Amino acid sequence: MTSSPVSTSTHHRIAVIGGGPAGLMAAEMLLAAGVQVDVFDAMPSPGRKFLLAGVGGMNITHSEAPADFYRRYGPREAALAPMLDAFNADALRDWVHGLGIETFVGSSGKVFPREMKAAPLLRAWLARLREAGMQLHVRHRWEGWLLDGSLRFSTPTGETHWQGSAVVLALGGGSWAKLGSDGRWLPLLSEKGVDTRPLAPSNCGFDRPWSEHFASKFAGQALKGVTLQFADACGQPSQRRGEFVVTASGVEGNLIYAYSAAIRDAIARDGQATITLDLLPDRSLERLLGELQRGRGAASLANHLRKQCGLDGVKAGLLRELLDKDSFNDMVTLAQAIKALPLTLHAARPIDEAISTAGGVRFEAMDEYGMLKALPGVFCAGEMLDWEAPTGGYLLTACFASGRAAALGALNWLQANQKGEASRG
């Protein structure tokens, strides 16, 4: 088990509310310090969202250079940097290895467990935590506090209460409500004077009204090997190559998720957002125009596009969807559209469809140890904090790191209180 630089007496009991990566990491640090830990989770078993994230291949973290890694957290880079400094991607891999799970770095730089699944890791972790003394209470939904400071939980058998030395909240964001992350905690904290920001979808798809023909023919198909360009709020453009999927109502997928925060904010500001697509990034405009202007004889334009530049299927369909007939049949205009096709998006998909969320408890609501200024003895960690990051291991890494930081903050607070009590005695 990970050792802690802070130790305290075993008569302390701390509640960790939320059995995801942030909460379980907090529990591990607290147990290592000799604290009695009760973990509460609203679901029948802990780590439900963690397990789902691993169904398609569990991406633990990313191997890119720290400076690039930290930039993935955008405006909250400075707030998260101390936590990541203390528990970075390399430390997380070492921790996973300590559970007996091997990892490897994929071609994209993403780090995966050797078995590509979350379940073996979670089983090994829970076994170690139980052996260390963790008390796990499932089907316990947190409902706030009583007047005496006791925690309220609703359970299948009625309401129960708990009181201890401190609390670590790791309640997740607002996506995937069926797995426990439903955001119902936000008003409970707001009414206590905690500074929060409304939850918003992150790593999400967006709506774009397609024609019935295009949606019925191409929904579910991926546009691969395209480059997406989008300007941020300051007008600074950036671009990234990858793929995304056409849905019945718009677009989704990794390339869209990478820009979801900027797209979402632009829609909130302007009512819509326009991304620009290069459908054939390996071809220059000049080369492409030359290919398109070659005589095609009796061949259809669709066959001409396929034979001359390898453009067909959903890419060709998207061009027909977004260009009028005259533009599609003008080779200069068509070549320009292939290299810079504007696609306007109108709304983010509902928050419960998002992979993660932005918003939540503002970092300004906490002190340097992660304790809520309005609620002494209450610490926060994980996705319920107001930060966001793209997929690729960044979300999980920050959840682990912030859970660890919240636990250390709670231990320091308990130690300071012990010293204060001793001096008054």
Side-chain angles (χ1 to χ4, degrees):
M1 179 170 296
T2 307
S3 61
S4 168
V6 181
S7 61
T8 187
S9 60
T10 57
H11 74 273
H12 287 299
R13 293 179 65 201
I14 293 183
V16 175
I17 307 179
L24 294 180
M25 181 56 77
E28 177 156 331
M29 298 300 296
L30 296 168
L31 289 165
V35 173
Q36 296 180 52
V37 179
D38 290 77
V39 175
F40 298 89
D41 197 273
M43 303 304 291
S45 59
R48 288 293 182 95
K49 189 175 178 182
F50 180 67
L51 288 173
L52 183 68
V55 169
M58 167 53 61
N59 179 201
I60 290 290
T61 188
H62 204 287
S63 62
E64 68 184 354
D68 295 327
F69 193 108
Y70 286 20
R71 277 195 290 271
R72 304 298 185 184
Y73 300 97
R76 288 307 194 183
E77 176 184 350
L80 288 167
M83 304 178 195
L84 296 169
D85 286 341
F87 196 72
N88 60 21
D90 289 338
L92 178 52
R93 287 190 74 184
D94 289 342
W95 175 84
V96 173
H97 298 161
L99 287 168
I101 306 295
E102 296 182 14
T103 63
F104 71 96
V105 180
S107 58
S108 64
K110 297 176 182 178
V111 178
F112 301 90
R114 182 67 60 184
E115 295 181 326
M116 297 291 289
K117 297 177 181 178
L121 190 158
L122 183 60
R123 282 197 299 269
W125 193 9
L126 290 173
R128 189 164 75 179
L129 291 172
R130 289 190 178 100
E131 184 179 352
M134 176 188 73
Q135 298 297 309
L136 178 62
H137 310 270
V138 296
R139 294 187 174 90
H140 278 62
R141 177 174 292 279
W142 181 58
E143 303 289 358
W145 291 272
L146 295 173
L147 291 177
D148 66 357
S150 298
L151 299 169
R152 296 176 53 225
F153 295 95
S154 59
T155 77
T157 58
E159 184 168 295
T160 187
H161 306 146
W162 186 97
Q163 193 165 41
S165 307
V167 179
V168 175
L169 300 178
L171 292 154
S175 62
W176 299 93
K178 65 181 180 181
L179 301 178
S181 297
D182 56 16
R184 284 173 50 176
W185 49 266
L186 199 146
L188 297 176
L189 295 182
S190 296
E191 68 187 19
K192 289 288 189 178
V194 177
D195 189 11
T196 61
R197 191 165 72 93
L199 297 175
S202 182
N203 292 297
C204 59
F206 292 88
D207 287 335
R208 158 79 198 192
W210 304 122
S211 66
E212 184 178 347
H213 169 77
F214 180 79
S216 63
K217 187 172 183 179
F218 294 109
Q221 295 193 30
L223 284 99
K224 298 183 178 181
V226 300
T227 296
L228 186 155
Q229 180 174 295
F230 189 69
D232 61 21
C234 300
Q236 184 67 33
S238 67
Q239 65 180 30
R240 181 188 295 262
R241 185 165 174 167
E243 65 179 75
F244 66 92
V245 176
V246 169
T247 68
S249 62
V251 293
E252 66 180 20
N254 288 339
L255 191 56
I256 298 297
Y257 300 157
Y259 286 91
S260 64
I263 294 171
R264 179 199 65 223
D265 293 347
I267 292 173
R269 183 181 65 247
D270 305 324
Q272 62 182 33
T274 300
I275 61 177
T276 302
L277 302 173
D278 184 344
L279 300 180
L280 295 175
D282 292 329
R283 278 176 165 79
S284 68
L285 178 61
E286 293 74 20
R287 175 188 169 186
L288 182 60
L289 184 56
E291 292 170 337
L292 292 177
Q293 288 179 331
R294 290 173 187 159
R296 59 186 173 98
S300 67
L301 182 51
N303 278 332
H304 187 62
L305 281 171
R306 177 177 56 81
K307 290 179 179 179
Q308 291 299 325
C309 50
L311 196 150
D312 60 1
V314 65
K315 289 184 179 180
L318 187 63
L319 283 169
R320 285 192 178 276
E321 176 76 3
L322 298 179
L323 298 180
D324 59 37
K325 184 177 180 180
D326 290 340
S327 298
F328 192 80
N329 286 282
D330 180 87
M331 294 303 101
V332 174
T333 303
L334 181 59
Q336 292 171 339
I338 291 171
K339 295 298 294 179
L341 183 66
L343 175 62
T344 299
L345 306 174
H346 299 275
R349 293 298 298 162
I351 196 169
D352 197 45
E353 295 180 16
I355 291 176
S356 59
T357 51
V361 176
R362 294 180 184 270
F363 282 85
E364 293 77 10
M366 304 184 297
D367 67 12
E368 61 182 309
Y369 299 106
M371 185 172 73
L372 294 174
K373 296 174 183 176
L375 296 169
V378 180
F379 299 78
C380 290
E383 200 183 326
M384 68 181 295
L385 300 177
D386 181 21
W387 61 275
E388 59 184 315
T391 57
Y394 310 104
L395 291 166
L396 272 178
T397 303
C399 283
F400 281 113
S402 64
R404 181 182 183 278
L408 292 178
L411 292 170
N412 280 315
W413 182 74
L414 290 176
Q415 191 175 61
N417 280 355
Q418 282 183 186
K419 290 179 179 179
E421 291 171 3
S423 64
R424 287 193 295 273

